Each structure stands twice: as structure tokens, then as C-alpha cells.
Amino acid sequence: MAELPIPDLPPARCSGRFTISTLLGTEEAGRGPYTPTEGSSCDSAQPTQLSSSTLCSRTFGYNTVDVVPAYEHYANSKGVGDPRKGRPSLADLHSILKPDPGRLCTPVPELQQSNGLPEAGLEAGLEEAEGEPGRDSVPEPVRFGWVKGVMIRCMLNIWGVILYLRLPWITAQAGIALTWVIILMSVTVTTITGLSISAISTNGKVKSGGTYFLISRSLGPELGGSIGLIFAFANAVAVAMHTVGFAETVRDLLQEHNSLIVDPTNDIRIIGVITVTVLLGISLAGMEWEAKAQILFFLVILVSFINYLVGTVIPATAEKQAKGFFSYRADIFAQNFVPNWRGPEGSFFGLFSIFFPSATGILAGANISGDLKDPAVAIPKGTLMAIFWTTVSYLVLSATIGACVVRDASGSLNDSVAVGSPGCEGLACSLGWNFTACTQQRSCRYGLSNYYQSMSMVSGFGPLITAGIFGATLSSALACLVSAPKVFQCLCKDQLYPLIGFFGKGYGRNSEPIRGYMLTYVIAVGFILIAELNAIAPIISNFFLCSYALINFSCFHASITNSPGWRPSFRYYSKWAALFGAAVSVVIMFLLTWWAALIAFGIVIFLLGYVLYKKPDVNWGSSMQASSYNMALNYSVGLSEVDEHIKNYRPQCLVLTGPPNFRPALVDFVGTFTKNLSLMLCGNVLIGPRKQKMPESRLMADGHTKWLTKRKIKAFYTDVVAEDLRSGVQMLIQAAGLGKMRPNILVLGYKRDWRTASPQSLEDYVGILHDAFDFKYGVCLMRMKEGLNVSRVLQAHVNPTFEAAEHPKNGTGSKAAPGTVDPTALASEQQASTIFQGQQGKKTIDIYWLFDDGGLTLLIPYLLGRKKRWGKCKIRVFVGGQINRMDEERKAIVSLLSKFRLGFHEVHILPDINQKPRPEHIKRFDELIAPFRLNDGFKDEATVNEMRQGCPWKISDEEVDKNRAKSLRQVRLNEILLDYSRDAALIAITPPIGRKGRCPSSLYMAWLETLSQDLRPPIILTRGNQENVLTFYCQ
């Protein structure tokens, strides 16, 4: 720990518990945040100042800047800059502290305990400090536990009309044994999904948003956003579906008593609209009232269950016996134990598709995650308990009713016969009833196979079963009416889709989505008015199954990525079971309704594509990010194990851009031929003291990366801090890259001001080229007539163009910038346009392959020509030759190029390279090097070295004479370039190489200057490392 320096101050005393409250403080009204208050003093050593604030802490026995672990250091409940919840930065612990005797400390609120953790039940207090003067107390929002908030809610949503009206019929068709198989298969899927929900919901703090929140924070906004939107819509339509189920039951009761309001269809609409309006009123009254209504429905359903079970043990009356009920009998159980398929739906999967929707509804508790006291405890416990008890109820119901009621009964009291009467067939004969006639004619109105109201008939008091049906439908409708706005509100706040933010506003202490409730109400009423939901119901089931599949896949994907952030406190899950659950959910989607499954997938894919296209600026630490890292790491390691081959050579470029936005043309040029092909790394050398430049490096890196992303350049950005440009570039050359993903080409801009720049910068620039060759790099120099550096234009806040004069001070180092661009403004600044961003038309790309460098001079223009913007350009290749062998040499080059399969067919032989240039051009070259000559008069080497002491860039007379032919060749080549390529779109030429230690830097720069001067097109001086980058072999 870093101990505080102790100034000479009188000791102070205080009582109470203290810790570091902040690292930063501000003066306010002449009084700092740590000015002493009444009754506050310090029983530890004297205070010190840290970043303009006096800190006083007691950790565990001595004074230190370090703090003990505390909850608030990890909770992001407050905004950035909260003055009471910070740990010291590394700089605060590592740098020298200056004591400030003028300030004392104040104690931290009692909320922080000695171990740094909040007391139980005080987590909400961490959001706002308690007991601060002048602050109004905010009413506590309503929060529910696992029973009231999750278990009861899920059980009510799982139970539905299928339990009352279809389960007895399914038991008659499939038999008790296969009915149990159907139930257990359905429950297996929901249980696996429940385990996945439990794992995801216990891997960090869960906020409001339910299913959407869980999926989006796990798999990312793309899948989360699409499933969130359709899940909210499905819940809204499910409100209408459950309400219509209730309305149909009421309509049937009215029909029985001949009391229809208008007609059967309009009665459903009238009753449905009134019902959903009442449910909306309950929801708008607040979550407390909604929870009370759910408990009421729960009690009604429990009473109806008890009523049914009591009815099964009451001795059957003659009327009930005529309808097939004989109380518990082993022979009835045995007969109903095996299947008896009937009708078009009489198949195992047909019945499975009918029953499965009754097992869904397990997300009702998770959907109100924002209203739970502790979602990490409530969601797993409540969901799994709801699945368990509803499963028990389904199994008990199918077994009991299968042991009490025969499959066929006439309902007529006249069908009673003596036991053993002749001509009587079936099990009922042994019970004194003859149902043979209706059984053979398939005209029986009662019995498990024919009468949907068998539960009501068996029960002790029939109307209670009807009340149970009411409770099941209304509770499910109410749960969906609450779920849809809660999920939609979270989706609106994330702003993944346009035009929906209006519905995200919350009201009241629970942040109730009133606007979302009204939207859900409008959707529900719209579908209620249709009054026929048979077409939309299968799509809703498939939307819910989509959610199940993605929840299971989220759990599997988060587990398989091995991310250190995946640490669910709920351990009873399996990643392979989750994958199985996801696959089975998709299979069930197609088993239920294949066309609805296709529609659901189509909608998900459309919404997924929209979010992928928009690329929302969110970062939730999803498992997709972890998976991307895993894949990149595995492929990078795997790539290192593979030997390199010429066929797989890729130009991987280290581009000395400085700040990338200062040299956009250089970035665009390299980005054009490396995009989706190879590595591009933008390097920046920050020149200056490390202590001064390191904060700038950290500050700017993210801004430069965002600038590259906005420009759609697929590249990395890296910077180093160095004392000078050359040493910084040496660091980049040696350290850049990872494994086989390392640069092999150094790309930099041409130094236009080499004649006026400091001699040392000239030496550094040419030395960088020598360093690149020493490290086996290829070199690519880019020169444009307008220049590359637009930093002056950027600093002047003008639209960046290339009209401004160059103003580099040190090559590509960031010292070239007149100032520093704000990193937050980098990504939002107006992008400079360059010629590499536009269509090139039917121009030419001229390649002057003068020396065999391994083929790099050919490869880069070839890659450029494959891009759409350069696709119409004709590529011409120029090579040197002798005038008396032009045809033979041309055929040889054409043959070589055809073997390379580059598609270059226009080849020109230059026989006049070694002709003497025009005298005025020779004179211009001599004037160019004149300021850099020693004028030593051909003295001996020792004398020359002594004269050149301290100025190694000077050119001796002997060096001028020895390199005369090479110098004249550059002058002649410039004349050829002006003759042949004045109107080209791009010129690529092999530059000369200056021998290290024998060619002064000024002479080499004079060669490059002479070679590339007066040319309008961009010129690329490319030199490979003399190793092959092209091959015509297939192995």
C-alpha cells in the first residue's frame, strides 16, 4: 500500500467509521467538500491532499491512500464523478502526493460498513444517500418476493383453459401413460428453459425488461432486440387471445340461458372489450393492485381444484353415472391407461401440439424482473417451483380423471341395465350401464372422449370449475397485459429501433410504462374485435418458443465461450442440456405449425438484419463478444502453427499515419487493397517525455479507432511514446502484430519538406527505410502532388482538402500536428474526401517494374484493380530492355505475367532508360543536391570523414561521381514517367535502394525527389524485400 506522507500538523480526534470518499473535490461557495463540519474530526494521522482534495481514511490500522474493498466501488448506480464512491486511481497510488494542511476530512455516511459491504436490505439505499439535509425522501417502489412476484404469477400463466377443457380429452385419446409422456416431454423443455433462465438471471444484477433484458445482455442487441420486439407484440396479442377465451365462456353461459346481448360474435367483442378495459384499470392502479388481483385468481383456481378432487371421491349419482363417471375404479384406470386414437387429431404429436401451449408461461415472473426485490433469487426459485407444482397438478388431474370416467357414455338414464346383460359391450356393462349403441354409432355425447366439460361434471360443485376457467383466462390475460409494456419499455429505452422511444417513459415510483399499457390495450382491443384468433394463435405460440430457444441458446453460448464474466450463482444447469432445449424448441415450433414457424423466423431474421445494419452504439458485454475473442484467439494460435507459403502471402501493412485523420489519403489507399484481405495497422509515434505523452496516448486511441470505423476502414490503431521518430518506428516494426498476423510492409508518406527540414529529421526518415529493410520489411512510399498531411486544415476547422500546404515537422510523428484533436470530436468530425474514395473511370494504372523485388510492385496494383472503384482501369506494365531485343524481352515478360495469372496483357519495353537526360533536367538535379555537398575536392576518405563530422547527410564529391550514372537514371526515368503516365490514375514504380553507410540520406532523397517530381497522379514507390510474393506453382 502507498502510505501517506505526514506533514507537521497537530493531531485531530474523531469518532466514527471512515474510509476514502473521493479522489476529486471542487470548491463550492468558498467551502470544499471536505471542509470540517461540526463534530467531525479525525482520530488517525494528519490529512493530506490528493488531487485538490484532502483525504482522511482508516482502513485496518494505519493511514493509507488505498481503500478496503467496498460494494460501492463496483456498483454503477451513480453517475461518473460521484464524489463519495471512488477508489484511488493507479496514478494516485503511484505518483507523489502533496500534503495540504488546510483541509480536514469528513466521515463517510454510515451506509458503508467496516467490511465495505452494505447491510442486508439497504441496496436501494446505495442509489441515494440517506439522511442528507435538504433532500426529499423518495417513496420506496413496490417490490415482490419469489412467491408473490414469480411463482404465483408463473403458475397462473401456465394454467389455462386447456387444463380444464382439453386435458381430460387428451387423456382419453392418448391414455394415461402417453398423456404423462406428453406432459413430461413438455415439462422437460420448460424445465431446461427454467434452468437456463435461472443461470442467466443469477449472472449479474438483473434490471427491468424481463426476457428481452436477459437475451439482449447475453447474446447482444441483434438477437435480443428482435426477440424483444416480437415477444412484446406476442404478449399484447396474447392478452386478446386469453380475453376472447374468457368472453367465449361467458357467451356460452348466456346462450344456455337464452340471454345473448346481440349475437354470438358481437357478444364476444362486447364482453372482451369490457373485460380488457377492466384489466387495464387494474394494471394502471399499480403493481400492488395487480398482484392482489392475481392472488384472488390464484385462490379461485385452487378452490376449483379442491372442488374437483372432492368430487372424484363423492359417490357417483345416477345422472353422473349416465355421463360416464363411476368414481375411482381400477378397471377404468386400466382401460384408460392405453391409447384410443380418434379423429384427425388422434396422433401422439397432434395431441402434443395441442397440450404444449399449456406448459408455457414460465416467463411471466421474469418479465417483471424490475419489480422484484431480488431477481437473482426470485426468478430461479419462483420459476422452478411454478413448473414443479403445475406439473404435479397436470399429472394428478390426468391420472384421477382417467381412473374415474369411461371414454364413452350416452348421458341417458334409460341406458342402465343389469350387470351381465347379453348384447352389452364395453367396460360400463360391468357397472350396470349399456353404452354399446352410441359407442358403435360414434354418437355418444358424454365420456372423456366426447365431453369437454368432464371436470365440471365430476366436480362437487360445477360452477366452481367455471369460476376456475374464468380465473385461469383472466389471470393469463392480466399477466400478459403487464409483461408486454414492461418488456417494451426496456426495449424503447435502449433505442434499438426508430420511432418507439416515446413509449419508454415511466411514471410513478415504479416507473410504470403508462404509454406502453395504452399501446398494449389498443393492440389487444384490435385483435379482440376480430373475434377469431385461430389464425394468429399459432404464431403467438411460435414467438414464445422463439424466446425459449434463444434463452437456452444464450445459456449454452455464454457457457461455451469460457468467459471469466460468466459466473452464475445458480449452478444446477448444463450447457448441453441448454443446447438440447434450444434445438427441441425449434423442432416443436415446426411440429406445432410449420408455416407459423417460418413466419416467426422470417420476422426475427428481418429485425436481426435491421439491427446489424444500424449497428447500435451499445456495449453490454455479450457472449457474442466473448465468442469473437475466442475465435480470434484460436485462429491466431492455429495460424502460428502453420508454415507460411507464397500462395497465401498477403500484404500486411504497418502504415505510419501519425493520427490517421491527418493523412486520410494514405489511410484510404492502404485500406482499399487490404479491406477483407489482410492486416492494416495505423501506427503513430508520440514524440516527447513518456510521463507527458502517456495520458495523451490513452485519451486519443479510442477516438482514432472510432474515426477509422466511421470511415469504414478495417484497420487497427496503435501508438508508442518515444524520444524521437526513428526509435518509435523501430519499436513499432519490432513489436506490432501478433503471431503470423504481423506486418511485412512499411507504408509511409513521402517527406516533401526534406530540403527545409532539420538535417536530423532527414537522417531519421531515411534511417527508417534502412531499418525496414533490416527487419525484412517491404517498403511503400506514397507521394501526392497536393501532399498528404491535412492537419493544418483540421486545426483551422475547415472542410479538409488537399489544397493546404504540408506542415510536417517530424515525418509521421504526432509532433507534426499543430495541436491535439479532441478525441470525442474525432469520430464526429467531417470526413475529408480523397481521390481513393471515388470512381477512377477508364484511366490506367501504370506499373514500372524496373527491378525484380519479388513481385510486390506488381501485387499491390493487382489487388487495387480488383476493387470496384478501380475495376475499369487498364493496367499497363513497363519494364526496361535493350532496343535490339525488344520483342524477345516483351514475350518473356508477357509469358511470366501470364504464369502469374494477374491478367496484365499490356506490356511495354523501355529501351531508352539509359539515354542521357536533357541538360536542363541534369542541371536541376545538380542544383537540388548543391546545398548538401561537402565540396571537398576529392580529398582522401579520412579527410572527408573529418569534414563530415556531425553532418553525415553531406555528399562528398567522390560519392557524387560514383553515383553519377544512378543519378542520371532517376532523371531519365522522370522524363519517361512524364511522357507515358501524365494522365494515369496511379503510378507504381520500383525505387532505387541506397546502400546503407555508402549513400548519404540527402543524395537518396534527391533520387526519390527527382524520380517522382512534377507528376499529377499519385505515385507509389514500392520495393519488396527481395523474397517472392508471387508464384506460378500450385504447391
Side-chain angles (χ1 to χ4, degrees), residues 658-718:
N661 59 318
F662 283 5
R663 293 175 178 82
L666 191 61
V667 171
D668 290 339
F669 165 67
V670 181
T672 300
F673 70 83
T674 59
K675 187 175 184 179
N676 299 326
L677 177 83
S678 59
L679 174 70
M680 177 181 174
L681 195 63
C682 294
N684 183 18
V685 180
L686 299 170
I687 301 171
R690 183 167 57 90
K691 186 179 296 185
Q692 176 185 342
K693 290 295 181 179
M694 281 303 291
E696 180 184 339
S697 170
R698 289 192 295 267
L699 186 68
M700 301 296 290
D702 188 52
H704 290 313
T705 301
K706 289 180 178 178
W707 183 89
L708 289 168
T709 302
K710 183 179 180 182
R711 202 171 180 87
K712 297 182 180 178
I713 299 294
K714 295 189 175 181
F716 299 98
Y717 170 83
T718 186

Side-chain angles (χ1 to χ4, degrees), residues 888-905:
E888 293 88 340
E889 290 180 347
R890 185 181 181 282
K891 287 178 182 178
I893 294 297
V894 169
S895 175
L896 178 61
L897 293 178
S898 66
K899 287 183 171 63
F900 285 147
R901 306 173 307 282
L902 295 173
F904 301 163
H905 301 299

Side-chain angles (χ1 to χ4, degrees), residues 114-346:
S114 59
N115 61 357
L117 299 176
E119 289 181 355
L122 287 180
E123 187 168 325
L126 289 168
E127 307 292 332
E128 296 291 338
E130 296 175 357
E132 290 191 19
R135 177 170 294 188
D136 296 333
S137 60
V138 179
E140 281 290 320
V142 178
R143 296 284 186 257
F144 303 113
W146 70 272
V147 175
K148 194 174 179 181
V150 181
M151 188 185 79
I152 291 178
R153 192 176 298 273
C154 287
M155 291 177 72
L156 288 172
N157 216 19
I158 293 170
W159 283 329
V161 291
I162 291 177
L163 171 70
Y164 292 96
L165 303 182
R166 290 294 183 270
L167 188 57
W169 174 78
I170 292 173
T171 304
Q173 290 265 9
I176 296 172
L178 288 183
T179 300
W180 276 38
V181 171
I182 289 172
I183 294 170
L184 294 176
M185 281 179 60
S186 303
V187 169
T188 299
V189 177
T190 56
T191 302
I192 292 173
T193 307
L195 295 175
S196 298
I197 292 172
S198 303
I200 296 172
S201 63
T202 58
N203 188 54
K205 190 173 181 180
V206 177
K207 298 182 180 178
S208 61
T211 306
Y212 160 70
F213 184 89
L214 296 177
I215 296 176
S216 62
R217 269 51 175 183
S218 181
L219 284 179
E222 296 83 8
L223 282 172
S226 58
I227 205 65
L229 198 60
I230 65 171
F231 187 76
F233 177 76
N235 271 288
V237 179
V239 174
M241 187 174 67
H242 293 301
T243 305
V244 167
F246 167 78
E248 285 180 347
T249 308
V250 175
R251 190 269 318 268
D252 292 343
L253 288 175
L254 292 175
Q255 272 186 324
E256 287 181 13
H257 298 86
N258 296 319
S259 303
L260 286 176
I261 304 172
V262 182
D263 58 65
T265 302
N266 283 317
D267 280 11
I268 291 176
R269 292 170 178 155
I270 294 169
I271 297 167
V273 170
I274 293 172
T275 303
V276 80
T277 304
V278 173
L279 293 178
L280 176 68
I282 294 173
S283 301
L284 293 178
M287 290 298 293
E288 276 184 296
W289 286 97
E290 188 267 348
K292 290 175 182 177
Q294 293 286 31
I295 291 176
L296 175 64
F297 292 141
F298 183 72
L299 293 176
V300 169
I301 294 175
L302 282 185
V303 170
S304 73
F305 278 169
I306 296 171
N307 172 52
Y308 159 75
L309 292 174
V310 169
T312 59
V313 297
I314 295 175
T317 63
E319 287 185 359
K320 287 188 176 183
Q321 287 184 357
K323 294 179 179 180
F325 172 62
F326 297 95
S327 196
Y328 291 107
R329 294 187 63 90
D331 49 357
I332 296 178
F333 181 85
Q335 186 186 51
N336 289 336
F337 191 77
V338 294
N340 180 20
W341 310 112
R342 298 182 186 180
E345 296 167 333

Side-chain angles (χ1 to χ4, degrees), residues 64-136:
T64 174
V65 177
D66 257 343
V67 294
V68 294
Y71 173 91
E72 54 267 30
H73 297 160
Y74 297 89
N76 58 354
S77 55
K78 296 282 281 186
V80 177
D82 174 17
R84 297 180 321 182
K85 297 180 184 176
R87 70 164 67 86
S89 69
L90 189 59
D92 293 322
L93 298 175
H94 195 236
S95 303
I96 298 174
L97 299 177
K98 295 181 181 180
D100 179 13
R103 295 200 181 176
L104 295 174
C105 66
T106 56
V108 165
E110 284 297 319
L111 177 65
Q112 179 174 337
Q113 304 301 309
S114 59
N115 61 357
L117 299 176
E119 289 181 355
L122 287 180
E123 187 168 325
L126 289 168
E127 307 292 332
E128 296 291 338
E130 296 175 357
E132 290 191 19
R135 177 170 294 188
D136 296 333

Side-chain angles (χ1 to χ4, degrees), residues 823-1030:
T824 58
L826 276 176
S828 58
E829 73 178 18
Q830 186 175 0
Q831 296 273 345
S833 60
T834 69
I835 64 168
F836 297 102
Q837 293 179 312
Q839 296 289 336
Q840 300 302 314
K842 295 183 179 181
K843 298 180 182 179
T844 62
I845 298 175
D846 291 347
I847 304 172
Y848 288 83
W849 195 24
L850 304 178
F851 307 102
D852 190 352
D853 61 345
L856 187 63
T857 307
L858 295 174
L859 182 62
I860 290 179
Y862 165 73
L863 296 175
L864 206 61
R866 294 200 309 181
K867 302 300 180 180
K868 186 177 180 181
R869 292 170 184 164
W870 297 79
K872 295 181 180 179
C873 291
K874 182 171 63 174
I875 298 180
R876 303 188 298 178
V877 180
F878 297 84
V879 294
Q882 300 178 17
I883 194 167
N884 57 347
R885 299 183 66 250
M886 286 181 61
D887 289 340
E888 293 88 340
E889 290 180 347
R890 185 181 181 282
K891 287 178 182 178
I893 294 297
V894 169
S895 175
L896 178 61
L897 293 178
S898 66
K899 287 183 171 63
F900 285 147
R901 306 173 307 282
L902 295 173
F904 301 163
H905 301 299
E906 188 171 340
V907 177
H908 299 268
I909 304 299
L910 302 174
D912 52 354
I913 287 181
N914 291 320
Q915 286 184 5
K916 192 173 182 180
R918 290 197 284 270
E920 61 270 21
H921 292 158
I922 297 174
K923 182 182 178 183
R924 185 170 65 172
F925 176 78
D926 290 336
E927 292 174 350
L928 182 64
I929 64 173
F932 301 96
R933 295 188 62 169
L934 273 176
N935 297 316
D936 57 289
F938 294 94
K939 291 184 172 62
D940 60 85
E941 187 174 349
T943 306
V944 169
N945 289 338
E946 186 177 345
M947 292 177 66
R948 200 174 354 201
Q949 189 70 30
C951 48
W953 55 88
K954 292 284 188 177
I955 312 168
S956 69
D957 293 346
E958 184 180 4
E959 287 166 339
V960 172
D961 187 59
K962 280 183 178 179
N963 292 291
R964 190 65 179 173
K966 200 170 186 177
S967 300
L968 293 179
R969 189 186 303 129
Q970 311 313 315
V971 178
R972 177 58 188 152
L973 282 172
N974 180 252
E975 293 176 351
I976 293 172
L977 291 175
L978 289 169
D979 288 341
Y980 286 94
S981 302
R982 189 181 297 272
D983 297 320
L986 181 75
I987 300 172
I989 187 169
T990 312
I993 292 183
R995 195 171 294 278
K996 187 168 60 172
R998 295 295 180 185
C999 179
S1001 56
S1002 54
L1003 179 59
Y1004 185 69
M1005 289 303 298
W1007 289 347
L1008 299 182
E1009 176 73 24
T1010 300
L1011 178 63
S1012 59
Q1013 65 188 354
D1014 299 333
L1015 291 167
R1016 186 197 61 79
I1019 181 166
I1020 310 300
L1021 303 160
T1022 308
R1023 187 82 194 208
N1025 62 359
Q1026 301 303 112
E1027 295 180 0
N1028 289 351
V1029 301
L1030 297 172

Side-chain angles (χ1 to χ4, degrees), residues 42 121 166 259 277 292 311 327 424 435 549 613 619-620 635 678 765 789 937 942 945 963:
C42 183
R166 290 294 183 270
S259 303
T277 304
K292 290 175 182 177
S327 196
C424 183
F435 302 138
Y613 172 74
N619 183 7
W620 296 324
Y635 283 132
S678 59
Y765 184 81
N789 195 326
N945 289 338
N963 292 291

Side-chain angles (χ1 to χ4, degrees), residues 503-760:
F503 299 100
K505 182 175 175 60
Y507 296 86
R509 58 182 181 177
N510 270 47
S511 187
E512 293 290 346
I514 304 296
R515 297 172 179 176
Y517 280 126
M518 299 310 298
L519 177 64
T520 305
Y521 173 77
V522 170
I523 294 173
V525 168
F527 280 97
I528 287 171
L529 293 178
I530 295 174
E532 181 56 59
L533 293 176
N534 288 342
I536 200 71
I539 299 178
I540 296 173
S541 298
N542 277 281
F543 281 169
F544 287 127
L545 278 167
C546 262
S547 305
Y548 290 3
L550 282 176
I551 285 173
N552 284 310
F553 183 73
S554 299
C555 181
F556 166 76
H557 197 263
S559 303
I560 204 73
T561 53
N562 293 322
S563 171
W566 175 250
R567 302 185 303 274
S569 56
F570 182 85
R571 300 291 183 182
Y572 307 103
Y573 72 96
S574 166
K575 59 186 176 185
W576 301 114
L579 179 62
F580 173 76
V584 170
S585 297
V586 174
V587 170
I588 292 174
M589 287 176 67
F590 285 93
L591 284 178
L592 292 180
T593 320
W594 64 268
W595 57 267
L598 292 177
I599 292 175
F601 274 114
I603 295 174
V604 170
I605 291 171
F606 172 77
L607 295 173
L608 171 67
Y610 176 83
V611 179
L612 285 172
Y613 172 74
K614 293 297 288 184
K615 291 185 175 62
D617 187 18
V618 295
N619 183 7
W620 296 324
S622 68
S623 62
M624 288 298 181
Q625 294 173 328
S627 177
S628 298
Y629 177 87
N630 270 7
M631 291 174 64
L633 181 62
N634 290 334
Y635 283 132
S636 298
V637 172
L639 196 62
S640 300
E641 300 170 357
V642 179
D643 292 334
E644 293 180 351
H645 194 282
I646 300 172
K647 282 189 352 181
N648 292 324
Y649 174 86
R650 294 168 186 260
Q652 303 188 117
C653 300
L654 171 59
V655 192
L656 299 184
T657 59
N661 59 318
F662 283 5
R663 293 175 178 82
L666 191 61
V667 171
D668 290 339
F669 165 67
V670 181
T672 300
F673 70 83
T674 59
K675 187 175 184 179
N676 299 326
L677 177 83
S678 59
L679 174 70
M680 177 181 174
L681 195 63
C682 294
N684 183 18
V685 180
L686 299 170
I687 301 171
R690 183 167 57 90
K691 186 179 296 185
Q692 176 185 342
K693 290 295 181 179
M694 281 303 291
E696 180 184 339
S697 170
R698 289 192 295 267
L699 186 68
M700 301 296 290
D702 188 52
H704 290 313
T705 301
K706 289 180 178 178
W707 183 89
L708 289 168
T709 302
K710 183 179 180 182
R711 202 171 180 87
K712 297 182 180 178
I713 299 294
K714 295 189 175 181
F716 299 98
Y717 170 83
T718 186
D719 54 33
V720 294
V721 178
E723 296 298 328
D724 59 77
L725 178 65
R726 185 174 181 182
S727 61
V729 174
Q730 287 173 344
M731 294 179 198
L732 286 172
I733 289 175
Q734 295 179 81
L738 180 70
K740 294 292 175 68
M741 301 284 290
R742 299 179 66 84
N744 49 30
I745 300 173
L746 181 70
V747 184
L748 65 165
Y750 177 73
K751 188 172 180 62
R752 297 176 73 223
D753 69 334
W754 65 274
R755 284 170 288 180
T756 58
S758 66
Q760 186 56 48

